[in-house]
Amino acid sequence: MTANPILAEALRGGIVESFHRGALAVVDAGGSVHSAFGDIERPIFARSAVKVLQALPLVASGAADRWQLTDEELALACASHGGEPLHAQTAAAMLAKAGVDKDALECGTHWPYNDAAIKALAARGEVPSALHNNCSGKHAGFVCLGCLMAEGQDRREFLRGYVRPEHPVMREVTAALQAATGYDLARTAVGTDGCSIPTYAIPLRHLAHAFAKVATGTGLSAGHARAAKRLRAAVARAPFMVAGSGRMDTRLMERLGERVFCKVGAEGVYCAALPEQGLGVAIKIDDGNTARACEVVLAAVIERLLPLAGEDHLFVHALSDLKLSNWNGIEVGRLRAADVLRHGAPPPP
Amino acid sequence: MTANPILAEALRGGIVESFHRGALAVVDAGGSVHSAFGDIERPIFARSAVKVLQALPLVASGAADRWQLTDEELALACASHGGEPLHAQTAAAMLAKAGVDKDALECGTHWPYNDAAIKALAARGEVPSALHNNCSGKHAGFVCLGCLMAEGQDRREFLRGYVRPEHPVMREVTAALQAATGYDLARTAVGTDGCSIPTYAIPLRHLAHAFAKVATGTGLSAGHARAAKRLRAAVARAPFMVAGSGRMDTRLMERLGERVFCKVGAEGVYCAALPEQGLGVAIKIDDGNTARACEVVLAAVIERLLPLAGEDHLFVHALSDLKLSNWNGIEVGRLRAADVLRHGAPPPP
């Protein structure tokens, strides 16, 4: 196996201390590869990076209208959130609109990702619920879809097991993923995601193509195209909901609004849609590093592809090349996208 | 640059989801390479993996005897601990024996690594002190050494700036590191570690050689050989102190006692001494993954090198091939050392 190129580096004491290899694809809505690094044909689990694709049926089905979901709630349906109080409250509100509560969620429970939220719960002697799970908004979206599909039946009965591949809700979700990526999900590896829904192995080229479709609407059904546009707008108006305090997705979309839609996924995945350019981006860091590697890589890709003025450019550039400080606040090194991404010309496909 | 081999893999849905490349060296006390994977000549920052080498002067100088340090305290001097109550108390006790307190520590402050310790502090409305820093024991050791060296002078005055390379305390520490590794630290890259002391770039071959010396005493000065033996024994008797609840170093040494001395370091480093075999081991994961990659790799290396009976073998084997579960407790995959480490014959040096 040929090794993928180095896409991100951590420096200390003037040398590279650690580095991250990976692959990335930039594809247009017609499916043509705009630029690529590494192996973009190997199927990879897209994990939470495709939540916006999994939320398309929530809107296209009419469930979002039926339950009068707000921008905040639609953004949360696309989120891997920090479990901050507003995230948990918003997930609870979505469930209440559909006539159920947190007991309908099948995502499991974990302590919030957000440090302050952990300490606040602990200080009150409380423990988290499924509402604090980073996927609770996506699951609340599945439940809202299911409550529409269940009409005339017992909702709780219908919803049970909605995380399973064969459940009517998950079939809708998987069909949307397949339509957007154009990849045969019946013939690829299937894993179980952290929140218990299926996750499918899909090549970066197909994932980037799906996000070019999200960016433009081209290649999607009319219903999914409208849904993608509405979800992008919702996240741009409520970027706190898609991630949370200090998080990359929130910071980028607070700054750039609808010029970028981006979403991180576990194990070093990032997907993004660039509507002005009509391009989709998909990144996988080989070693699964989500916390640092794919963030600087995404920032470098955005800096290359998006014409950014003044403050916006400085903002994005700073996210591709960060100071690393130690516990005494002393600068000890830098974390940055590799030179090949920052300065080089994009290699031909 | 030739890519290092894949040393660890995370599987999901029957395929490799993410993988970690790296290098490892196994060296004997004479400096001969027993086995090697990847580039073992590239200088890497050993970070906290060499704390036992940095603690040699504490014992060899007589400071450990002078302040009547216990096994628990000596183990803490070699530790990257979880900031659990017993760790913080033990660091405080070391400082008190030398006649100073936590204000002498220059490691900085961070919230404990241990989850329960974070929540317990938060529940009491408290914030951490430098005693909770994972390096507080190593720094307490430096301070104990400094208080011996300062005799006849003002201790606080003498100690100030002990983290700097040119301070008499740090010179002793660096001299011990240089003597053990046989590498010219004056001519290599120097970084600042998380706790503000210098960290030197040293090839894995030299690091493994240093740990073979720690394993055997061969090649060390008589004073350092005695100190290494005492530190290994202290950690074997008090393995909780070197890491903490649920942590790899603690679990391995609780099980295997003096048969293994091992120590993790930030950015994917592991070093180990195997006294029965007279071997030293040094591992660097390219991407800096400390949490999972270097643990399964170390376990696989120990399984290969150490003749282990029954329960001990099962215990170590299980650490090289772990079940990954999601938030609902469903098995979603495995994390394991690569086949080349688990089944292959060691490649010749």
Side-chain angles (χ1 to χ4, degrees), chain A residues 12 17-19 47 106 108 192-193 196 267 284 286 292 326 328, chain B residues 12 17-19 47 106 108 192-193 196 267 284 286-287 292 326 328:
Chain A
R12 182 180 299 261
E17 180 171 28
S18 301
F19 52 92
R47 310 291 302 271
E106 298 185 354
T192 303
D193 213 326
S196 297
E267 293 291 336
K284 165 74 180 178
D286 289 345
R292 66 180 187 187
N326 76 0
N328 281 323
Chain B
R12 182 179 300 259
E17 180 169 29
S18 301
F19 52 91
R47 310 292 300 271
E106 298 185 355
T192 303
D193 213 326
S196 297
E267 293 291 334
K284 165 72 180 180
D286 288 347
D287 58 71
R292 64 182 188 185
N326 76 359
N328 281 321

PDB file of all heavy atoms in Angstrom, chain A residues 12 17-19 47 106 108 192-193 196 267 284 286 292 326 328, chain B residues 12 17-19 47 106 108 192-193 196 267 284 286-287 292 326 328:
ATOM      1  N   ARG A  12       7.783  21.175  17.335  1.00  0.00           N
ATOM      2  CA  ARG A  12       8.287  21.549  18.657  1.00  0.00           C
ATOM      3  C   ARG A  12       9.791  21.709  18.523  1.00  0.00           C
ATOM      4  O   ARG A  12      10.428  20.956  17.779  1.00  0.00           O
ATOM      5  CB  ARG A  12       7.943  20.447  19.676  1.00  0.00           C
ATOM      6  CG  ARG A  12       8.365  20.739  21.117  1.00  0.00           C
ATOM      7  CD  ARG A  12       7.986  19.595  22.055  1.00  0.00           C
ATOM      8  NE  ARG A  12       6.555  19.375  22.080  1.00  0.00           N
ATOM      9  CZ  ARG A  12       5.728  19.835  23.031  1.00  0.00           C
ATOM     10  NH1 ARG A  12       6.213  20.512  24.051  1.00  0.00           N
ATOM     11  NH2 ARG A  12       4.438  19.596  22.971  1.00  0.00           N
ATOM     12  N   GLU A  17       7.572  17.158  15.312  1.00  0.00           N
ATOM     13  CA  GLU A  17       7.500  16.157  16.380  1.00  0.00           C
ATOM     14  C   GLU A  17       6.585  15.001  15.979  1.00  0.00           C
ATOM     15  O   GLU A  17       6.902  13.843  16.228  1.00  0.00           O
ATOM     16  CB  GLU A  17       6.987  16.797  17.677  1.00  0.00           C
ATOM     17  CG  GLU A  17       6.892  15.777  18.814  1.00  0.00           C
ATOM     18  CD  GLU A  17       6.608  16.397  20.163  1.00  0.00           C
ATOM     19  OE1 GLU A  17       5.982  17.462  20.221  1.00  0.00           O
ATOM     20  OE2 GLU A  17       7.004  15.796  21.189  1.00  0.00           O
ATOM     21  N   SER A  18       5.447  15.311  15.398  1.00  0.00           N
ATOM     22  CA  SER A  18       4.480  14.301  14.973  1.00  0.00           C
ATOM     23  C   SER A  18       3.841  14.787  13.682  1.00  0.00           C
ATOM     24  O   SER A  18       3.852  15.982  13.400  1.00  0.00           O
ATOM     25  CB  SER A  18       3.396  14.110  16.043  1.00  0.00           C
ATOM     26  OG  SER A  18       3.956  13.718  17.279  1.00  0.00           O
ATOM     27  N   PHE A  19       3.309  13.854  12.901  1.00  0.00           N
ATOM     28  CA  PHE A  19       2.685  14.263  11.648  1.00  0.00           C
ATOM     29  C   PHE A  19       1.561  13.306  11.298  1.00  0.00           C
ATOM     30  O   PHE A  19       1.513  12.174  11.766  1.00  0.00           O
ATOM     31  CB  PHE A  19       3.719  14.330  10.518  1.00  0.00           C
ATOM     32  CG  PHE A  19       4.547  13.092  10.363  1.00  0.00           C
ATOM     33  CD1 PHE A  19       4.160  12.079   9.507  1.00  0.00           C
ATOM     34  CD2 PHE A  19       5.715  12.926  11.087  1.00  0.00           C
ATOM     35  CE1 PHE A  19       4.917  10.922   9.353  1.00  0.00           C
ATOM     36  CE2 PHE A  19       6.479  11.775  10.953  1.00  0.00           C
ATOM     37  CZ  PHE A  19       6.079  10.774  10.088  1.00  0.00           C
ATOM     38  N   ARG A  47     -18.737   8.526   9.218  1.00  0.00           N
ATOM     39  CA  ARG A  47     -19.161   8.844  10.583  1.00  0.00           C
ATOM     40  C   ARG A  47     -20.060  10.099  10.630  1.00  0.00           C
ATOM     41  O   ARG A  47     -20.908  10.285   9.757  1.00  0.00           O
ATOM     42  CB  ARG A  47     -17.924   8.959  11.509  1.00  0.00           C
ATOM     43  CG  ARG A  47     -16.948   7.760  11.398  1.00  0.00           C
ATOM     44  CD  ARG A  47     -17.520   6.469  11.963  1.00  0.00           C
ATOM     45  NE  ARG A  47     -17.883   6.608  13.352  1.00  0.00           N
ATOM     46  CZ  ARG A  47     -17.068   6.376  14.384  1.00  0.00           C
ATOM     47  NH1 ARG A  47     -15.833   5.965  14.168  1.00  0.00           N
ATOM     48  NH2 ARG A  47     -17.492   6.501  15.629  1.00  0.00           N
ATOM     49  N   GLU A 106     -32.304   6.583  21.143  1.00  0.00           N
ATOM     50  CA  GLU A 106     -31.556   5.317  21.200  1.00  0.00           C
ATOM     51  C   GLU A 106     -30.062   5.538  20.952  1.00  0.00           C
ATOM     52  O   GLU A 106     -29.356   4.629  20.515  1.00  0.00           O
ATOM     53  CB  GLU A 106     -32.134   4.320  20.181  1.00  0.00           C
ATOM     54  CG  GLU A 106     -33.594   3.967  20.474  1.00  0.00           C
ATOM     55  CD  GLU A 106     -34.178   2.893  19.555  1.00  0.00           C
ATOM     56  OE1 GLU A 106     -33.489   2.482  18.601  1.00  0.00           O
ATOM     57  OE2 GLU A 106     -35.325   2.482  19.808  1.00  0.00           O
ATOM     58  N   GLY A 108     -27.792   6.396  23.262  1.00  0.00           N
ATOM     59  CA  GLY A 108     -26.934   6.154  24.419  1.00  0.00           C
ATOM     60  C   GLY A 108     -26.560   7.460  25.093  1.00  0.00           C
ATOM     61  O   GLY A 108     -26.889   8.547  24.602  1.00  0.00           O
ATOM     62  N   THR A 192     -21.029  -0.100  12.932  1.00  0.00           N
ATOM     63  CA  THR A 192     -21.973   0.515  13.855  1.00  0.00           C
ATOM     64  C   THR A 192     -21.321   1.768  14.410  1.00  0.00           C
ATOM     65  O   THR A 192     -20.189   1.731  14.885  1.00  0.00           O
ATOM     66  CB  THR A 192     -22.308  -0.449  15.002  1.00  0.00           C
ATOM     67  OG1 THR A 192     -22.819  -1.658  14.438  1.00  0.00           O
ATOM     68  CG2 THR A 192     -23.339   0.160  15.946  1.00  0.00           C
ATOM     69  N   ASP A 193     -22.019   2.883  14.320  1.00  0.00           N
ATOM     70  CA  ASP A 193     -21.448   4.151  14.759  1.00  0.00           C
ATOM     71  C   ASP A 193     -21.524   4.277  16.293  1.00  0.00           C
ATOM     72  O   ASP A 193     -22.164   3.457  16.955  1.00  0.00           O
ATOM     73  CB  ASP A 193     -22.183   5.310  14.076  1.00  0.00           C
ATOM     74  CG  ASP A 193     -21.244   6.489  13.806  1.00  0.00           C
ATOM     75  OD1 ASP A 193     -20.331   6.723  14.620  1.00  0.00           O
ATOM     76  OD2 ASP A 193     -21.438   7.172  12.794  1.00  0.00           O
ATOM     77  N   SER A 196     -24.907   4.099  17.565  1.00  0.00           N
ATOM     78  CA  SER A 196     -25.609   2.842  17.250  1.00  0.00           C
ATOM     79  C   SER A 196     -26.275   2.772  15.879  1.00  0.00           C
ATOM     80  O   SER A 196     -26.808   1.721  15.525  1.00  0.00           O
ATOM     81  CB  SER A 196     -26.614   2.458  18.344  1.00  0.00           C
ATOM     82  OG  SER A 196     -25.936   2.224  19.561  1.00  0.00           O
ATOM     83  N   GLU A 267     -12.870   9.873  14.030  1.00  0.00           N
ATOM     84  CA  GLU A 267     -11.784   9.165  13.339  1.00  0.00           C
ATOM     85  C   GLU A 267     -11.216   9.961  12.161  1.00  0.00           C
ATOM     86  O   GLU A 267     -10.869   9.407  11.113  1.00  0.00           O
ATOM     87  CB  GLU A 267     -12.225   7.760  12.904  1.00  0.00           C
ATOM     88  CG  GLU A 267     -12.488   6.806  14.067  1.00  0.00           C
ATOM     89  CD  GLU A 267     -11.226   6.396  14.842  1.00  0.00           C
ATOM     90  OE1 GLU A 267     -10.136   6.442  14.284  1.00  0.00           O
ATOM     91  OE2 GLU A 267     -11.370   6.062  16.032  1.00  0.00           O
ATOM     92  N   LYS A 284      -9.936  12.521   5.030  1.00  0.00           N
ATOM     93  CA  LYS A 284      -9.781  11.467   6.037  1.00  0.00           C
ATOM     94  C   LYS A 284      -8.330  11.430   6.464  1.00  0.00           C
ATOM     95  O   LYS A 284      -7.427  11.275   5.627  1.00  0.00           O
ATOM     96  CB  LYS A 284     -10.186  10.111   5.479  1.00  0.00           C
ATOM     97  CG  LYS A 284      -9.733   8.892   6.287  1.00  0.00           C
ATOM     98  CD  LYS A 284     -10.513   8.662   7.572  1.00  0.00           C
ATOM     99  CE  LYS A 284      -9.980   7.423   8.307  1.00  0.00           C
ATOM    100  NZ  LYS A 284     -10.681   7.188   9.592  1.00  0.00           N
ATOM    101  N   ASP A 286      -5.489   9.390   8.131  1.00  0.00           N
ATOM    102  CA  ASP A 286      -5.298   7.940   8.267  1.00  0.00           C
ATOM    103  C   ASP A 286      -5.398   7.456   9.704  1.00  0.00           C
ATOM    104  O   ASP A 286      -5.925   6.377   9.968  1.00  0.00           O
ATOM    105  CB  ASP A 286      -3.892   7.540   7.766  1.00  0.00           C
ATOM    106  CG  ASP A 286      -3.754   7.633   6.258  1.00  0.00           C
ATOM    107  OD1 ASP A 286      -4.776   7.735   5.555  1.00  0.00           O
ATOM    108  OD2 ASP A 286      -2.598   7.576   5.786  1.00  0.00           O
ATOM    109  N   ARG A 292      -7.086  17.556  16.025  1.00  0.00           N
ATOM    110  CA  ARG A 292      -6.214  18.604  15.518  1.00  0.00           C
ATOM    111  C   ARG A 292      -5.939  18.501  14.029  1.00  0.00           C
ATOM    112  O   ARG A 292      -5.972  19.499  13.323  1.00  0.00           O
ATOM    113  CB  ARG A 292      -4.886  18.631  16.299  1.00  0.00           C
ATOM    114  CG  ARG A 292      -4.017  17.404  16.132  1.00  0.00           C
ATOM    115  CD  ARG A 292      -2.729  17.566  16.970  1.00  0.00           C
ATOM    116  NE  ARG A 292      -1.790  16.477  16.702  1.00  0.00           N
ATOM    117  CZ  ARG A 292      -0.673  16.277  17.373  1.00  0.00           C
ATOM    118  NH1 ARG A 292      -0.350  17.077  18.373  1.00  0.00           N
ATOM    119  NH2 ARG A 292       0.144  15.297  17.074  1.00  0.00           N
ATOM    120  N   ASN A 326       2.097  25.506  26.376  1.00  0.00           N
ATOM    121  CA  ASN A 326       2.079  24.506  27.442  1.00  0.00           C
ATOM    122  C   ASN A 326       1.296  25.025  28.650  1.00  0.00           C
ATOM    123  O   ASN A 326       0.620  26.054  28.583  1.00  0.00           O
ATOM    124  CB  ASN A 326       3.507  24.052  27.797  1.00  0.00           C
ATOM    125  CG  ASN A 326       4.270  25.077  28.617  1.00  0.00           C
ATOM    126  OD1 ASN A 326       3.775  26.148  28.940  1.00  0.00           O
ATOM    127  ND2 ASN A 326       5.498  24.732  28.944  1.00  0.00           N
ATOM    128  N   ASN A 328       2.099  26.423  31.261  1.00  0.00           N
ATOM    129  CA  ASN A 328       2.487  27.738  31.762  1.00  0.00           C
ATOM    130  C   ASN A 328       2.245  28.829  30.725  1.00  0.00           C
ATOM    131  O   ASN A 328       2.669  29.970  30.917  1.00  0.00           O
ATOM    132  CB  ASN A 328       3.970  27.731  32.162  1.00  0.00           C
ATOM    133  CG  ASN A 328       4.187  27.092  33.526  1.00  0.00           C
ATOM    134  OD1 ASN A 328       3.363  27.273  34.434  1.00  0.00           O
ATOM    135  ND2 ASN A 328       5.271  26.342  33.683  1.00  0.00           N
TER     136      ASN A 328
ATOM    137  N   ARG B  12     -13.424  -1.467  12.318  1.00  0.00           N
ATOM    138  CA  ARG B  12     -14.862  -1.264  12.489  1.00  0.00           C
ATOM    139  C   ARG B  12     -15.537  -1.924  11.280  1.00  0.00           C
ATOM    140  O   ARG B  12     -15.027  -1.844  10.170  1.00  0.00           O
ATOM    141  CB  ARG B  12     -15.193   0.234  12.543  1.00  0.00           C
ATOM    142  CG  ARG B  12     -16.676   0.562  12.762  1.00  0.00           C
ATOM    143  CD  ARG B  12     -16.916   2.075  12.839  1.00  0.00           C
ATOM    144  NE  ARG B  12     -16.184   2.684  13.929  1.00  0.00           N
ATOM    145  CZ  ARG B  12     -16.731   3.018  15.105  1.00  0.00           C
ATOM    146  NH1 ARG B  12     -18.015   2.846  15.321  1.00  0.00           N
ATOM    147  NH2 ARG B  12     -15.983   3.565  16.043  1.00  0.00           N
ATOM    148  N   GLU B  17     -10.438   0.931   9.965  1.00  0.00           N
ATOM    149  CA  GLU B  17     -10.968   2.302   9.861  1.00  0.00           C
ATOM    150  C   GLU B  17      -9.848   3.335   9.935  1.00  0.00           C
ATOM    151  O   GLU B  17      -9.842   4.304   9.190  1.00  0.00           O
ATOM    152  CB  GLU B  17     -11.979   2.565  10.986  1.00  0.00           C
ATOM    153  CG  GLU B  17     -12.553   3.979  10.931  1.00  0.00           C
ATOM    154  CD  GLU B  17     -13.728   4.194  11.856  1.00  0.00           C
ATOM    155  OE1 GLU B  17     -13.808   3.529  12.902  1.00  0.00           O
ATOM    156  OE2 GLU B  17     -14.569   5.062  11.533  1.00  0.00           O
ATOM    157  N   SER B  18      -8.919   3.133  10.848  1.00  0.00           N
ATOM    158  CA  SER B  18      -7.789   4.054  11.016  1.00  0.00           C
ATOM    159  C   SER B  18      -6.568   3.231  11.385  1.00  0.00           C
ATOM    160  O   SER B  18      -6.692   2.110  11.864  1.00  0.00           O
ATOM    161  CB  SER B  18      -8.082   5.058  12.142  1.00  0.00           C
ATOM    162  OG  SER B  18      -9.250   5.808  11.865  1.00  0.00           O
ATOM    163  N   PHE B  19      -5.398   3.787  11.146  1.00  0.00           N
ATOM    164  CA  PHE B  19      -4.180   3.036  11.467  1.00  0.00           C
ATOM    165  C   PHE B  19      -3.057   3.997  11.819  1.00  0.00           C
ATOM    166  O   PHE B  19      -3.095   5.177  11.452  1.00  0.00           O
ATOM    167  CB  PHE B  19      -3.778   2.117  10.302  1.00  0.00           C
ATOM    168  CG  PHE B  19      -3.675   2.812   8.976  1.00  0.00           C
ATOM    169  CD1 PHE B  19      -2.475   3.360   8.551  1.00  0.00           C
ATOM    170  CD2 PHE B  19      -4.776   2.925   8.156  1.00  0.00           C
ATOM    171  CE1 PHE B  19      -2.365   4.001   7.327  1.00  0.00           C
ATOM    172  CE2 PHE B  19      -4.688   3.582   6.924  1.00  0.00           C
ATOM    173  CZ  PHE B  19      -3.481   4.115   6.513  1.00  0.00           C
ATOM    174  N   ARG B  47       9.854  13.107  25.566  1.00  0.00           N
ATOM    175  CA  ARG B  47       8.841  13.631  26.483  1.00  0.00           C
ATOM    176  C   ARG B  47       8.854  12.899  27.834  1.00  0.00           C
ATOM    177  O   ARG B  47       9.934  12.616  28.371  1.00  0.00           O
ATOM    178  CB  ARG B  47       7.464  13.613  25.808  1.00  0.00           C
ATOM    179  CG  ARG B  47       7.425  14.256  24.391  1.00  0.00           C
ATOM    180  CD  ARG B  47       7.635  15.760  24.414  1.00  0.00           C
ATOM    181  NE  ARG B  47       6.616  16.414  25.183  1.00  0.00           N
ATOM    182  CZ  ARG B  47       5.447  16.849  24.725  1.00  0.00           C
ATOM    183  NH1 ARG B  47       5.171  16.702  23.439  1.00  0.00           N
ATOM    184  NH2 ARG B  47       4.592  17.482  25.508  1.00  0.00           N
ATOM    185  N   GLU B 106       7.165  24.607  39.402  1.00  0.00           N
ATOM    186  CA  GLU B 106       7.140  25.445  38.196  1.00  0.00           C
ATOM    187  C   GLU B 106       6.552  24.695  36.995  1.00  0.00           C
ATOM    188  O   GLU B 106       6.837  25.021  35.845  1.00  0.00           O
ATOM    189  CB  GLU B 106       8.560  25.940  37.884  1.00  0.00           C
ATOM    190  CG  GLU B 106       9.134  26.810  38.999  1.00  0.00           C
ATOM    191  CD  GLU B 106      10.499  27.422  38.681  1.00  0.00           C
ATOM    192  OE1 GLU B 106      11.081  27.113  37.623  1.00  0.00           O
ATOM    193  OE2 GLU B 106      10.979  28.225  39.516  1.00  0.00           O
ATOM    194  N   GLY B 108       3.308  24.396  36.240  1.00  0.00           N
ATOM    195  CA  GLY B 108       2.019  24.897  35.775  1.00  0.00           C
ATOM    196  C   GLY B 108       0.882  24.033  36.298  1.00  0.00           C
ATOM    197  O   GLY B 108       1.109  22.998  36.933  1.00  0.00           O
ATOM    198  N   THR B 192      10.510  22.674  24.421  1.00  0.00           N
ATOM    199  CA  THR B 192      10.022  22.895  25.775  1.00  0.00           C
ATOM    200  C   THR B 192       8.873  21.927  26.011  1.00  0.00           C
ATOM    201  O   THR B 192       7.941  21.854  25.208  1.00  0.00           O
ATOM    202  CB  THR B 192       9.534  24.342  25.937  1.00  0.00           C
ATOM    203  OG1 THR B 192      10.606  25.218  25.604  1.00  0.00           O
ATOM    204  CG2 THR B 192       9.069  24.613  27.359  1.00  0.00           C
ATOM    205  N   ASP B 193       8.945  21.188  27.102  1.00  0.00           N
ATOM    206  CA  ASP B 193       7.924  20.185  27.379  1.00  0.00           C
ATOM    207  C   ASP B 193       6.672  20.849  27.963  1.00  0.00           C
ATOM    208  O   ASP B 193       6.677  22.044  28.278  1.00  0.00           O
ATOM    209  CB  ASP B 193       8.484  19.129  28.338  1.00  0.00           C
ATOM    210  CG  ASP B 193       7.890  17.743  28.063  1.00  0.00           C
ATOM    211  OD1 ASP B 193       6.709  17.669  27.671  1.00  0.00           O
ATOM    212  OD2 ASP B 193       8.611  16.749  28.241  1.00  0.00           O
ATOM    213  N   SER B 196       7.306  22.636  31.050  1.00  0.00           N
ATOM    214  CA  SER B 196       8.283  23.727  30.914  1.00  0.00           C
ATOM    215  C   SER B 196       9.749  23.336  31.018  1.00  0.00           C
ATOM    216  O   SER B 196      10.624  24.187  30.827  1.00  0.00           O
ATOM    217  CB  SER B 196       7.990  24.893  31.879  1.00  0.00           C
ATOM    218  OG  SER B 196       6.729  25.469  31.559  1.00  0.00           O
ATOM    219  N   GLU B 267       2.685  12.527  22.864  1.00  0.00           N
ATOM    220  CA  GLU B 267       2.948  12.441  21.419  1.00  0.00           C
ATOM    221  C   GLU B 267       3.399  11.056  20.983  1.00  0.00           C
ATOM    222  O   GLU B 267       4.260  10.906  20.112  1.00  0.00           O
ATOM    223  CB  GLU B 267       3.944  13.522  20.985  1.00  0.00           C
ATOM    224  CG  GLU B 267       3.395  14.940  21.098  1.00  0.00           C
ATOM    225  CD  GLU B 267       2.277  15.261  20.079  1.00  0.00           C
ATOM    226  OE1 GLU B 267       2.238  14.636  19.013  1.00  0.00           O
ATOM    227  OE2 GLU B 267       1.458  16.149  20.390  1.00  0.00           O
ATOM    228  N   LYS B 284       7.859   5.123  19.002  1.00  0.00           N
ATOM    229  CA  LYS B 284       7.277   6.432  18.670  1.00  0.00           C
ATOM    230  C   LYS B 284       6.225   6.218  17.585  1.00  0.00           C
ATOM    231  O   LYS B 284       6.533   5.686  16.506  1.00  0.00           O
ATOM    232  CB  LYS B 284       8.349   7.398  18.160  1.00  0.00           C
ATOM    233  CG  LYS B 284       7.834   8.659  17.456  1.00  0.00           C
ATOM    234  CD  LYS B 284       7.199   9.698  18.370  1.00  0.00           C
ATOM    235  CE  LYS B 284       6.714  10.920  17.564  1.00  0.00           C
ATOM    236  NZ  LYS B 284       6.094  11.940  18.442  1.00  0.00           N
ATOM    237  N   ASP B 286       4.111   7.838  14.784  1.00  0.00           N
ATOM    238  CA  ASP B 286       4.351   9.032  13.964  1.00  0.00           C
ATOM    239  C   ASP B 286       3.368  10.160  14.243  1.00  0.00           C
ATOM    240  O   ASP B 286       3.726  11.337  14.232  1.00  0.00           O
ATOM    241  CB  ASP B 286       4.211   8.696  12.471  1.00  0.00           C
ATOM    242  CG  ASP B 286       5.357   7.857  11.936  1.00  0.00           C
ATOM    243  OD1 ASP B 286       6.389   7.738  12.626  1.00  0.00           O
ATOM    244  OD2 ASP B 286       5.205   7.333  10.813  1.00  0.00           O
ATOM    245  N   ASP B 287       2.094   9.776  14.436  1.00  0.00           N
ATOM    246  CA  ASP B 287       1.050  10.797  14.540  1.00  0.00           C
ATOM    247  C   ASP B 287       0.873  11.308  15.956  1.00  0.00           C
ATOM    248  O   ASP B 287      -0.011  12.149  16.202  1.00  0.00           O
ATOM    249  CB  ASP B 287      -0.273  10.250  14.001  1.00  0.00           C
ATOM    250  CG  ASP B 287      -0.728   8.985  14.728  1.00  0.00           C
ATOM    251  OD1 ASP B 287      -1.137   9.088  15.890  1.00  0.00           O
ATOM    252  OD2 ASP B 287      -0.653   7.899  14.137  1.00  0.00           O
ATOM    253  N   ARG B 292      -4.083   5.415  22.400  1.00  0.00           N
ATOM    254  CA  ARG B 292      -4.401   4.041  22.051  1.00  0.00           C
ATOM    255  C   ARG B 292      -3.279   3.312  21.324  1.00  0.00           C
ATOM    256  O   ARG B 292      -2.975   2.175  21.624  1.00  0.00           O
ATOM    257  CB  ARG B 292      -5.684   3.983  21.208  1.00  0.00           C
ATOM    258  CG  ARG B 292      -5.596   4.653  19.851  1.00  0.00           C
ATOM    259  CD  ARG B 292      -6.949   4.561  19.125  1.00  0.00           C
ATOM    260  NE  ARG B 292      -6.850   5.033  17.757  1.00  0.00           N
ATOM    261  CZ  ARG B 292      -7.882   5.156  16.937  1.00  0.00           C
ATOM    262  NH1 ARG B 292      -9.096   4.864  17.353  1.00  0.00           N
ATOM    263  NH2 ARG B 292      -7.715   5.574  15.710  1.00  0.00           N
ATOM    264  N   ASN B 326     -19.442   1.075  21.830  1.00  0.00           N
ATOM    265  CA  ASN B 326     -20.006   2.417  21.685  1.00  0.00           C
ATOM    266  C   ASN B 326     -20.777   2.818  22.945  1.00  0.00           C
ATOM    267  O   ASN B 326     -20.721   2.139  23.979  1.00  0.00           O
ATOM    268  CB  ASN B 326     -20.837   2.521  20.399  1.00  0.00           C
ATOM    269  CG  ASN B 326     -22.198   1.857  20.506  1.00  0.00           C
ATOM    270  OD1 ASN B 326     -22.558   1.287  21.541  1.00  0.00           O
ATOM    271  ND2 ASN B 326     -22.954   1.916  19.428  1.00  0.00           N
ATOM    272  N   ASN B 328     -23.745   2.693  23.741  1.00  0.00           N
ATOM    273  CA  ASN B 328     -24.737   1.724  24.209  1.00  0.00           C
ATOM    274  C   ASN B 328     -24.095   0.409  24.620  1.00  0.00           C
ATOM    275  O   ASN B 328     -24.803  -0.562  24.881  1.00  0.00           O
ATOM    276  CB  ASN B 328     -25.783   1.472  23.114  1.00  0.00           C
ATOM    277  CG  ASN B 328     -26.809   2.591  23.041  1.00  0.00           C
ATOM    278  OD1 ASN B 328     -27.228   3.124  24.074  1.00  0.00           O
ATOM    279  ND2 ASN B 328     -27.222   2.960  21.833  1.00  0.00           N
TER     280      ASN B 328
END
